[in-house]
Amino acid sequence: MTPELKLINLLPVTLDSREAATRLADMVREHSGNKQIALDFSGIEFMSRSFADQFHKELYLRDEDAFEIVIKNADAFIIRMLDAVSKTQTKRKAVKKTHQVASYNDLKQMESFLMSW
């Protein structure tokens, strides 16, 4: 049987902080051994972009083991917010860029470098 978290019993009716998203992600992870969990959004009135962004980062970009989250009873705004965040977030590796730095003692030295380039 799929475990279900009724969010109204765990969080405020407005999901609007990154801290709340991290708490929810921690609760979801507690059930991750099941490979599927249902989140019941009955009674939840609002979800901010920051909440959705943090929730996505916590569960989809940080965790190696994937599991399915079933969204239940969420209004269209919440579904659209979760969908928008999922489309804009990607797992990225840091890109180390090195930039060549040149030092010149005078303008003529710089001009000769630029002419050879």
Side-chain angles (χ1 to χ4, degrees):
M1 185 170 159
T2 301
E4 181 175 301
L5 296 177
K6 191 162 179 72
L7 301 188
I8 196 70
N9 297 334
L10 305 169
L11 298 167
V13 296
T14 59
L15 304 177
D16 54 12
S17 74
R18 289 182 181 274
E19 179 187 26
T22 299
R23 281 197 326 261
L24 178 57
D26 289 343
M27 289 182 247
V28 168
R29 269 193 226 88
E30 290 175 10
H31 300 292
S32 64
N34 297 303
K35 296 297 180 191
Q36 185 181 64
I37 186 167
L39 300 180
D40 185 347
F41 281 81
S42 297
I44 299 297
E45 297 173 1
F46 173 79
M47 176 187 288
S48 71
R49 173 72 187 225
S50 61
F51 179 95
D53 179 67
Q54 187 67 29
F55 187 68
H56 189 272
K57 285 178 182 175
E58 290 281 338
L59 291 180
Y60 295 106
L61 300 184
R62 191 175 103 176
D63 291 341
E64 291 79 32
D65 296 330
F67 49 93
E68 183 181 1
I69 296 176
V70 177
I71 305 295
K72 294 175 66 176
N73 303 316
D75 71 20
F77 176 79
I78 290 173
I79 297 296
R80 284 194 305 271
M81 181 65 72
L82 291 169
D83 187 47
V85 166
S86 71
K87 289 178 180 176
T88 60
Q89 299 294 317
T90 57
K91 193 170 191 172
R92 296 183 221 158
K93 293 185 178 184
V95 176
K96 186 176 181 179
K97 293 184 177 182
T98 57
H99 302 280
Q100 186 177 12
V101 177
S103 175
Y104 304 101
N105 294 327
D106 59 37
L107 190 56
K108 293 238 184 254
Q109 188 181 21
M110 184 177 79
E111 287 173 349
S112 65
F113 170 77
L114 290 175
M115 296 303 272
S116 67
W117 194 47

